[in-house]
Amino acid sequence: AAALPTVFPKLPVPPLQQTLDMYLKCMKHLVTEEQFRKTKAIVEKFAASGGLGEILQQRLLERREKTKNWVYDYWLEDMYLNNRLPLPVNSSPAMVFPHQKFHNQSDYLRFAAHLISGVLDYKALLDAHALPPDCARGQLAGTPLCMEQYYKLFSSYRLPGCKKDTLVAQKSSIMPEPEHVIIACKNQFFVLDVVINFRRLNESDLFTQLEKIVKMAANEQERLPPIGLLTTDGRTEWAKAREVIMKDSTNRDSLDMIERCICLVCLDEPTMLEPTDTNHALQMLHGGGVDKNSGNRWYDKPILKAESCLLSTLYILFQFIVGMDGACGVVCEHSPFEGIVLVQCSEHLLKYMRGSPAKLVRAASVSELSAPRRLRWKCSPEIQGLLASSVDKLQSLVRNLDLNVYKFKVYGKEFIKEQKMSPDAYIQVALQLAFYRCQRRQVCTYESASTRRFQDGRVDNIRSATIEAFEFVKAMTEGKSSLPDSEKMQKLWSAINAQTNYTVLAITGMGIDNHLLGLREIALEMKMEKPEIFTDETYMISNHFILSTSQVPTTVEMFCCYGPVVPNGYGACYNPQSDHIIFCISSFRNCKESCSTTFAKAMEEVLLDMRDLCIKFNTPKKASVSEGTAKQGKQGKPGSKP
């Protein structure tokens, strides 16, 4: 008999006083003494018996009873839908696959055909609700996790709006068209039917159809303006441009085909750049600019579609990228799901493509297959002007992104586990020390923490810039010569424990960020004047995340990357493996305070210093970290090719 589905509890509302006490503790060392005194008084007034805080808390408790997840809508709008920045770099993360070696066009298109077949295989799992349930790893490992991000939240696509975006649910039509993918090639879009008469095309037929598309795209007389560039613009600008495009029926039909496809695959032109991990990551994040592949994208497209038993249509907002020069991966619109979905889908594809799947049923014969169709666009002078404006802003974004993909090879998570420490907590403390060595200050840090132990759980924030981490950082910098190493080791353990404890709070629904957001939004719904606690400078500082971090571990060879979330910030994504750690450090070049290569170099030095400290004062020296390896590590350069 099939196992009954797990019934997940509702996300709790933390006690008000607990959240306010933790808020003060998190911010005390990150603002001036004068500002903290002001904030403490504001918080005490907010928390007073019978005061505003208790009123809002009670309303939040009532909301919890009426909804599956009291913070979900608030969080989604605050994190994504209200954000007016362009999706590339600022919002959409990318997964970079291992570099492929294509000897000719046939190799390249066979890989694309195989990938499409893998996507259809993953779609079949979604259709059957056959994905194995996820369980937590790391802290509180083994706890079942809510799967709604796979089976419910894919039922929408991100529609741009002038003031805020909308996740629009797609419903299956009574007379669905043959299922199709959209192929982007030379900035053109083509419709490729992959399911005909209820049968999937096999990889041979997919390959033949892709060959036809490449020939069609090469016809310069048929080439149309790169409409996909409009989706790289700010959300308000793209919303207005979309309204203009929709005035023409031809454009409406083309948009409809894109918005209802199974999958979008981008066949990229070679970039002529050195095939480094960093250059591949840049291709995934923004396409390299107008002269490369940025026009060969559709950034807010709902991609993978599957029919559920409730007759609603499920969508995964991915676009798969296959570069002729071997740069391959996936970029996704992030609002409906967390990184685990990106990882799981990508790992399924790579494992599928490395295996030997059974041959698929062929739909009739190649000669009977309809030719792929080019999507047509009517571009008025107004649309041409909007495209020119989008191009200028995209080029600026491409020039501004400073990315460094760095593989730290001296040791990985196994060494950290030998120290009886959490690899994630260890790396988070290392990030604090590296940033301090670069800028001589500690700043608010965001680390995503899954709340999928609860119904419709998404994430809360682990505030890694703890006072304990700050004490360790000072011991390793200002106190470097005077403080005994044994005391530094004690401070490292205090920092690790503080990070671990906050992680457990966040994943069990007791983090402060979602709670404060809920109180703020309840006040807005009650049409109150915004409470002083949310206009206070400390609250503004607390939500300016100069360090935006995330652990994205994988079981196959690939890595995740994303951009900073504030102009003077860093994005720091890391993938701890057994004997190495992959870091993707991003920043913006127009900020004089930040430099991704400098930060990566600081991370290397910090990880070596922490390793040395642990070997001397935590446990006996391990044979797995040899003197030769250590010497090699000290010579490594983060800016060199991984």
Side-chain angles (χ1 to χ4, degrees):
L4 293 174
T6 304
V7 177
F8 293 93
K10 288 187 175 184
L11 183 73
V13 176
L16 178 63
Q17 194 61 54
Q18 175 181 303
T19 289
L20 296 178
D21 289 345
M22 182 61 73
Y23 171 58
L24 291 175
K25 180 181 179 181
C26 287
M27 296 307 299
K28 183 176 182 179
H29 56 293
L30 299 178
V31 297
T32 64
E33 290 185 15
E34 181 182 356
Q35 177 59 38
F36 183 75
R37 284 195 297 270
K38 177 184 175 184
T39 298
K40 192 169 185 290
I42 292 171
V43 169
E44 288 173 351
K45 180 181 176 183
F46 184 78
S49 179
L52 183 56
E54 287 191 358
I55 294 171
L56 298 177
Q57 176 78 352
Q58 183 57 40
R59 288 295 183 95
L60 212 53
L61 291 169
E62 292 170 6
R63 176 181 172 86
R64 180 180 184 269
E65 295 304 310
K66 298 174 184 176
T67 59
K68 290 180 67 176
N69 187 305
W70 60 266
V71 79
Y72 177 78
D73 289 334
Y74 294 157
W75 177 90
L76 183 65
E77 291 190 4
D78 183 70
M79 182 69 78
Y80 293 109
L81 303 185
N82 290 333
N83 194 330
R84 301 291 81 202
L85 293 173
L87 295 186
V89 177
N90 301 294
S91 179
S92 296
M95 190 68 74
V96 182
F97 295 171
H99 176 71
Q100 304 297 315
K101 293 182 179 179
F102 302 131
H103 298 99
N104 49 46
Q105 181 177 286
S106 292
D107 279 357
Y108 164 60
L109 296 183
R110 284 193 188 96
F111 181 91
H114 202 175
L115 185 143
I116 293 170
S117 184
V119 170
L120 296 176
D121 186 74
Y122 194 71
K123 173 185 179 297
L125 289 176
L126 288 175
D127 288 345
H129 279 223
L131 289 179
D134 290 343
C135 289
R137 292 180 287 183
Q139 301 302 322
L140 307 183
T143 308
L145 300 179
C146 179
M147 297 293 287
E148 287 298 305
Q149 289 185 37
Y150 294 91
Y151 295 124
K152 178 184 176 184
L153 299 182
F154 297 162
S155 60
S156 55
Y157 69 91
R158 185 163 173 172
L159 180 68
C162 290
K163 293 186 177 180
K164 75 173 184 179
D165 289 0
T166 307
L167 281 182
V168 181
Q170 285 279 30
K171 303 298 181 182
S172 40
S173 59
I174 297 173
M175 295 291 291
E177 295 183 34
E179 295 192 51
H180 64 279
V181 304
I182 296 293
I183 305 295
C185 185
K186 294 185 183 295
N187 302 340
Q188 309 292 289
F189 297 99
F190 300 86
V191 179
L192 169 59
D193 293 324
V194 295
V195 179
I196 301 175
N197 296 328
F198 305 104
R199 291 187 176 183
R200 285 164 52 178
L201 298 190
N202 64 21
E203 289 176 24
S204 175
D205 289 349
L206 290 172
F207 171 79
T208 300
Q209 297 293 74
L210 291 173
E211 279 191 316
K212 294 177 185 176
I213 286 173
V214 170
K215 283 185 180 180
M216 293 167 68
N219 186 343
E220 295 188 9
Q221 293 180 342
E222 293 282 322
R223 200 166 293 175
L224 298 166
I227 291 292
L229 287 171
L230 294 173
T231 69
T232 70
D233 212 333
R235 301 307 291 168
T236 297
E237 292 82 358
W238 166 221
K240 293 177 179 178
R242 191 177 187 278
E243 289 177 359
V244 175
I245 290 173
M246 290 286 285
K247 292 177 183 178
D248 184 90
S249 61
T250 298
N251 295 340
R252 287 198 299 271
D253 290 343
S254 293
L255 279 172
D256 182 64
M257 293 304 292
I258 290 177
E259 291 175 355
R260 292 188 299 103
C261 72
I262 295 171
C263 172
L264 195 147
V265 176
C266 308
L267 301 179
D268 276 5
E269 296 291 291
T271 63
M272 310 309 292
L273 299 173
E274 186 181 0
T276 64
D277 284 345
T278 296
N279 284 335
H280 286 351
L282 290 171
Q283 281 300 301
M284 302 306 118
L285 285 171
H286 56 51
V290 177
D291 60 331
K292 292 185 173 61
N293 294 296
S294 293
N296 211 45
R297 304 282 187 273
W298 196 274
Y299 275 96
D300 56 353
K301 172 66 197 79
I303 306 298
L304 184 61
K305 182 174 74 175
E307 296 302 320
S308 79
C309 58
L310 299 178
L311 297 181
S312 61
T313 304
L314 304 177
Y315 287 82
I316 301 179
L317 287 76
F318 293 165
Q319 52 184 329
F320 300 99
I321 297 165
V322 182
M324 195 176 294
D325 55 6
C328 301
V330 56
V331 62
C332 66
E333 202 291 289
H334 200 3
S335 60
F337 60 85
E338 304 314 320
I340 183 61
V341 176
L342 177 60
V343 171
Q344 296 284 48
C345 180
S346 298
E347 291 196 346
H348 177 90
L349 288 176
L350 289 178
K351 290 173 182 177
Y352 175 93
M353 295 174 74
R354 287 175 183 171
S356 300
K359 290 186 177 180
L360 303 177
V361 177
R362 185 169 181 161
S365 65
V366 172
S367 62
E368 296 174 0
L369 292 177
S370 301
R373 307 183 300 283
R374 185 193 301 264
L375 291 183
R376 301 290 176 178
W377 306 96
K378 295 288 183 67
C379 290
S380 64
E382 184 178 8
I383 293 174
Q384 294 282 10
L386 293 169
L387 272 171
S389 176
S390 296
V391 166
D392 290 342
K393 285 177 275 188
L394 172 68
Q395 293 297 85
S396 177
L397 182 66
V398 169
R399 288 192 298 268
N400 198 20
L401 181 62
D402 178 15
L403 187 70
N404 188 300
V405 180
Y406 166 54
K407 184 179 287 187
F408 178 77
K409 298 180 180 179
V410 180
Y411 62 90
K413 63 182 178 182
E414 289 308 314
F415 169 76
I416 303 171
K417 288 179 179 179
E418 288 171 359
Q419 309 308 309
K420 306 302 181 185
M421 296 175 176
S422 156
D424 184 70
Y426 183 99
I427 294 170
Q428 283 291 328
V429 172
L431 286 165
Q432 293 296 312
L433 179 53
F435 184 87
Y436 192 87
R437 284 185 175 177
C438 289
Q439 297 197 15
R440 282 298 189 268
R441 60 180 178 139
Q442 195 179 30
V443 294
C444 290
T445 303
Y446 185 100
E447 183 194 3
S448 56
S450 173
T451 58
R452 289 174 59 208
R453 289 164 175 79
F454 306 99
Q455 289 183 47
D456 285 0
R458 294 296 299 269
V459 297
D460 205 338
N461 176 23
I462 303 169
R463 289 190 167 266
S464 304
T466 63
I467 185 63
E468 292 84 358
F470 190 39
E471 291 300 321
F472 172 68
V473 161
K474 289 191 294 183
M476 295 293 284
T477 49
E478 281 86 348
K480 192 169 184 180
S481 58
S482 59
L483 200 67
D485 284 349
S486 58
E487 289 189 31
K488 295 174 187 174
M489 188 69 234
Q490 291 176 4
K491 291 183 181 297
L492 173 56
W493 264 114
S494 294
I496 294 285
N497 289 334
Q499 176 71 19
T500 301
N501 291 338
Y502 201 108
T503 298
V504 173
L505 279 177
I507 65 179
T508 56
M510 292 290 129
I512 68 171
D513 284 70
N514 283 352
H515 192 191
L516 291 172
L517 172 64
L519 295 169
R520 189 190 78 192
E521 293 304 299
I522 283 285
L524 183 65
E525 286 182 2
M526 294 175 68
K527 300 190 181 338
M528 291 181 174
E529 182 178 346
K530 185 178 284 189
E532 189 177 9
I533 188 174
F534 302 120
T535 61
D536 179 37
E537 183 182 354
T538 297
Y539 184 72
M540 305 304 172
I541 293 171
S542 77
N543 283 282
H544 188 82
F545 295 111
I546 291 177
L547 266 180
S548 177
T549 72
S550 184
Q551 177 184 213
V552 185
T554 65
T555 62
V556 299
E557 187 183 351
M558 61 181 180
F559 61 88
C560 183
C561 55
Y562 51 79
V565 298
V566 295
N568 61 334
Y570 284 103
C573 188
Y574 52 96
N575 182 351
Q577 296 293 302
S578 295
D579 60 354
H580 66 275
I581 308 169
I582 303 172
F583 291 95
C584 298
I585 308 296
S586 62
S587 60
F588 291 122
R589 298 185 189 279
N590 62 9
C591 175
K592 295 181 180 179
E593 298 174 359
S594 60
C595 172
S596 296
T597 299
T598 299
F599 192 91
K601 180 64 177 175
M603 276 301 299
E604 178 193 38
E605 293 171 353
V606 161
L607 289 170
L608 291 172
D609 288 348
M610 289 172 64
R611 186 267 327 252
D612 293 345
L613 188 65
C614 286
I615 288 175
K616 290 178 183 177
F617 293 95
N618 194 42
T619 58
K621 188 172 182 179
K622 301 292 188 299
S624 60
V625 185
S626 66
E627 290 295 334
T629 305
K631 186 180 293 185
Q632 176 187 357
K634 290 182 182 294
Q635 294 172 347
K637 282 183 64 180
S640 61
K641 185 172 74 170

